[in-house]
Every structure is written in C-alpha cells, then in structure tokens.
Amino acid sequence: MTIPQLDLAGEYQQLRTEIDAAVQQVFLKGAFIDGAENAALEHELAEYIGAAEVICVNSGTDALLLSLKALGIGAGDDVIVPAFTFFATAEVVSLARARPCFADCAPGQYNIDVDGIREALTPRTKAVIAVHLFGQPVDLKPLQEFCVNHDLWLIEDAAQAIGARYHDRGIGSFGVTGAFSFYPTKNLGAYGDGGAIACSDPDLASRLRCLRNHGRQDRYQHSEIGFNSRLDELQAAILRVKLPYLDDWNARRRQLAALYQQALQNTECNWPAVLEGTVPVHHQFVVTHPHRDALQLFLAGHNISTAVFYPIPCHRQPAFSESHAGVSLPLAERLADQVLALPIYPALPPEAVWHIGELIQDFEHVDTGRGNHPNPHY
Ligand SMILES: *Cc1c(COP(=O)(O)O)cnc(C)c1O
C-alpha cells in the first residue's frame, strides 16, 4: 500500500467540474484583480469565521505582516511568538522591524500557553502571535486575559486552523486580527498563494484594505506606504467552490485522527490531548516518537510518506540563531527532535490508518538494536 502525505491532484479530480466552471467564468469576465469573486469570498468567509469583516490578501504571511503594520508595530517593539511554528510567524515580526521573542510550548502541548508567554515578556512587548498549530486551538481565554492585563495585542495565526472552534466560536475571531493561509496544502487551499485577515474593528479593517493595495485611499491618493498584496480573482473563485466542502473535510480529518488514536494506542507514539471546549481541524496529525528518524525511514521503506514539522525551532534557525544565541526553550527543542506528521487528508482511506498503525507496531517490535543506542538527546 503506497500512501502519500497528501493528494491535491485527487482532490481536484473530485471537484473538477465545479472548479473548471468557476475558473472559466473569471476568464470570460476578464476581471482578475479586486473583483466580484473577492467581494463575495470576503463576505462568505466573514460569515464562516464569525468576524465582522474579512480582508483577502496574497498569503498567510502577508496576513500576519499587514496585521502588525496596521497596528503600528515596528522598530523598538517586541512581539512574542512561539518557537515551535512555521518560520513565517516569526519572520513577519522582523519584516515589520520589530523583534521576535520566542515562547516555549506548554508542557504536553504543541501550542504556547500563558506561562511560556510570561517568560518571554519584556517591557517593550506590544503583541502576542498565538499559533493554532496543526489545527489545534490555543487555550484562548487565559491568553486573552493575559493580553488585556498587560496591554498587548493578541494576533491569531490561524493559518492551519480554518474551521476550528473554541467555546463555540470560530478560530480567528478572538484576536484583534486572525490570519489565514490558503497555501495549497492548507485545509482550505487555493491553487497558488493566498491568505485572509479576519477583523472586527472597522477602522483597523479599512487600514488593512488600504495597506494591501499600495496604501491607496482612492485610485490616485496613497495615504501611506503599503503593499501589493491582493488575492487573485482566480484564486477567490476556486476558494468559493471549496469553502462549502470545508466542514465535511474537517469532520473527516477528525474521524481519521480518532482512528489514528486507536491504531497507535499500544505504541510509543504520543500526541497532545484535545483541549476541552475546542473543536480541532487536524491540519496535520503529528505524533512524537523517541526514535523519530528511524521510524520515518522505516515507514518510507514501506511506501508511507511522512514529514517533519518542524525539525528546527525558530530560535535555532540560522536567520535567528545569532540574535537569539542564549535562548534555550527545551520543550520546543525536544519536539523538533521527536515530531513526525503522519498522512492525513479527507480522502485518506481508514485502512491506510490501520496499516500505518500496524507498521509502527512492527517497527517497535523488530529488534534493530535501537535499545542499545538510545537517542543521545534523552
Ligand atoms: C502556512 C503558514 C503561514 C504562512 O502562510 P503562507 O500562505 O504560506 O504565507 C504562517 N503561519 C503558519 C503557522 C503556517 O502554517
């Protein structure tokens, strides 16, 4: 059985008639930027997420960067970000000329919590970017309280979590902004780059609209230095075809995650418990394993594609290692050594999950001498 990490071409086949028609409509109309598809998508996403407004942009990265810019965060400011996340979460802070301060993960979680944030707090901290990593909601209530008490903006990086819920409200609607990515592999993926910002503050929303379009107030007036960060009409049309399927796809991911939890019960794999009151969307199903690298090789030998998200925590990335030389975040560093993302996508057959579970049991029961060479880190 050959099992890919994901299957985007297969997903297109399933939606082919609808996608082709939507794309053709855009070609026939001849409007490619800032048109009716964008307006409609923004409306539909705002409804879906439960935010007053959504502003579509070029990428999830830009959704974060424009959020920082619109809030006036820049030189001299600190922004707290998780050490264990995709690089872009921290990159945007530097792009805005502020300084990223890295927070460790909560014990037993992939996400950050208030304790980690408190450790990273400085007198210059202006904002916290909370990442709902792998589609698991961050525990937002204590975090919101902390941010209110310390006069910090809370920005949600919901790039991996569209459709997830926290106490019956959509992820991305809790922060001053919520950033979404439509990168093709995300739960709601475009056929190219794309992103969106959820925002319920009308003044901030109009500032974001201005920033994404060269700081333009109207056609000829530029009130500030902005960006070219608009979403193509083609991508908007494709996303509008896909959005009505998203809840079913996410439910399917939850079923597969539940199956993995059964199939891996008697293995050395571990994963964080889902927080009470949250509905995750399992962008990835990520386990930790004490022999991660050997397990990944073993699975590859059996035609199972897996991935490591993320092998290097942000503070150890070459781009940050000099400026953050003394920083030690043991939980994030340990995760980087142990995490493995198993295949999960809506069309993955349940048999594949059982098969992977059996292979992992085989791996652990074969005497490869691993017991004599424990992982030097632990
Ligand atoms: C994908 C992703 C981003 C960036 O989104 P792009 O659309 O690729 O720019 C930011 N943060 C996280 C956590 C992501 O997974």
Side-chain angles (χ1 to χ4, degrees):
M1 196 184 234
T2 295
I3 305 170
Q5 174 71 17
L6 81 175
D7 181 15
L8 295 182
E11 189 201 83
Y12 168 63
Q13 283 305 335
Q14 188 203 326
L15 301 174
R16 188 169 184 167
T17 329
E18 281 183 86
I19 299 266
D20 288 2
V23 164
Q24 226 168 54
Q25 272 310 306
V26 174
F27 287 146
L28 290 171
K29 268 198 227 156
F32 299 103
I33 300 281
D34 203 10
E37 296 293 339
N38 261 269
L41 178 65
E42 289 187 340
H43 207 77
E44 288 158 11
L45 281 172
E47 184 112 316
Y48 181 80
I49 292 158
E53 284 188 63
V54 161
I55 299 99
C56 287
V57 292
N58 223 323
S59 67
T61 305
D62 276 6
L64 290 167
L65 177 58
L66 269 58
S67 295
L68 294 170
K69 287 289 201 181
L71 291 168
I73 291 168
D77 297 333
D78 285 352
V79 177
I80 296 173
V81 297
F84 190 64
T85 179
F86 179 57
F87 185 68
T89 314
E91 183 183 35
V92 292
V93 177
S94 299
L95 280 173
R97 309 238 176 280
R99 180 176 70 165
C101 298
F102 295 107
D104 209 351
C105 307
Q109 295 283 324
Y110 298 138
N111 286 329
I112 54 171
D113 67 356
V114 166
D115 290 339
I117 290 169
R118 195 178 287 116
E119 292 275 308
L121 195 68
T122 75
R124 309 195 311 181
T125 308
K126 288 283 171 359
V128 176
I129 303 182
V131 182
H132 305 288
L133 201 64
F134 309 137
Q136 303 272 359
V138 167
D139 198 0
L140 284 159
K141 234 178 218 158
L143 220 152
Q144 278 184 308
E145 264 172 41
F146 184 89
C147 286
V148 168
N149 290 339
H150 292 82
D151 206 12
L152 308 174
W153 297 113
L154 173 63
I155 296 169
E156 290 180 81
D157 180 342
Q160 304 185 0
I162 191 161
R165 300 184 74 77
Y166 180 88
H167 294 281
D168 227 18
R169 253 178 66 192
I171 285 302
S173 71
F174 290 83
V176 61
T177 63
F180 294 88
S181 166
F182 306 128
Y183 185 77
T185 62
K186 300 286 159 81
N187 288 30
L188 179 65
Y191 291 172
D193 276 311
I197 308 165
C199 179
S200 293
D201 174 330
D203 292 336
L204 192 63
S206 63
R207 180 110 198 263
L208 287 163
R209 285 185 195 287
C210 176
L211 276 175
R212 77 165 164 188
N213 193 18
H214 302 289
R216 235 179 210 141
Q217 292 245 283
D218 58 43
R219 189 158 179 190
Y220 299 109
Q221 290 227 38
H222 301 262
S223 56
E224 62 184 312
I225 302 298
F227 300 82
N228 175 355
S229 186
R230 300 159 305 215
L231 182 71
D232 289 352
E233 284 285 281
L234 276 177
Q235 301 303 343
I238 290 163
L239 290 165
R240 290 188 67 212
V241 170
K242 286 186 162 197
L243 182 59
Y245 293 95
L246 182 59
D247 279 342
D248 282 350
W249 289 339
N250 282 341
R252 184 80 195 130
R253 287 172 183 271
R254 283 190 289 275
Q255 285 169 3
L256 291 165
L259 278 189
Y260 266 123
Q261 297 185 11
Q262 285 177 46
L264 300 176
Q265 233 168 32
N266 299 313
T267 69
E268 293 178 66
C269 293
N270 253 308
W271 53 85
V274 169
L275 287 181
E276 231 184 275
T278 71
V279 182
V281 292
H282 299 287
H283 171 57
Q284 299 290 348
F285 188 79
V286 174
V287 299
T288 56
H289 196 282
H291 305 291
R292 189 269 312 278
D293 292 341
L295 175 60
Q296 185 175 33
L297 272 177
F298 178 87
L299 291 173
H302 289 82
N303 303 315
I304 311 295
S305 295
T306 60
V308 175
F309 303 122
Y310 297 93
I312 305 173
C314 287
H315 62 293
R316 293 282 158 89
Q317 287 289 351
F320 287 127
S321 58
E322 217 168 283
S323 50
H324 293 74
V327 177
S328 154
L329 300 165
L331 298 178
E333 288 157 27
R334 187 188 168 112
L335 283 178
D337 286 335
Q338 294 198 337
V339 282
L340 188 64
L342 303 176
I344 192 164
Y345 51 91
L348 183 72
E351 304 84 71
V353 173
W354 294 119
H355 178 59
I356 291 168
E358 278 163 16
L359 283 173
I360 294 177
Q361 292 190 18
D362 291 350
F363 168 79
E364 290 180 357
H365 293 138
V366 172
D367 181 15
T368 57
R370 273 190 313 279
N372 302 326
H373 304 284
N375 186 325
H377 294 291
Y378 308 110

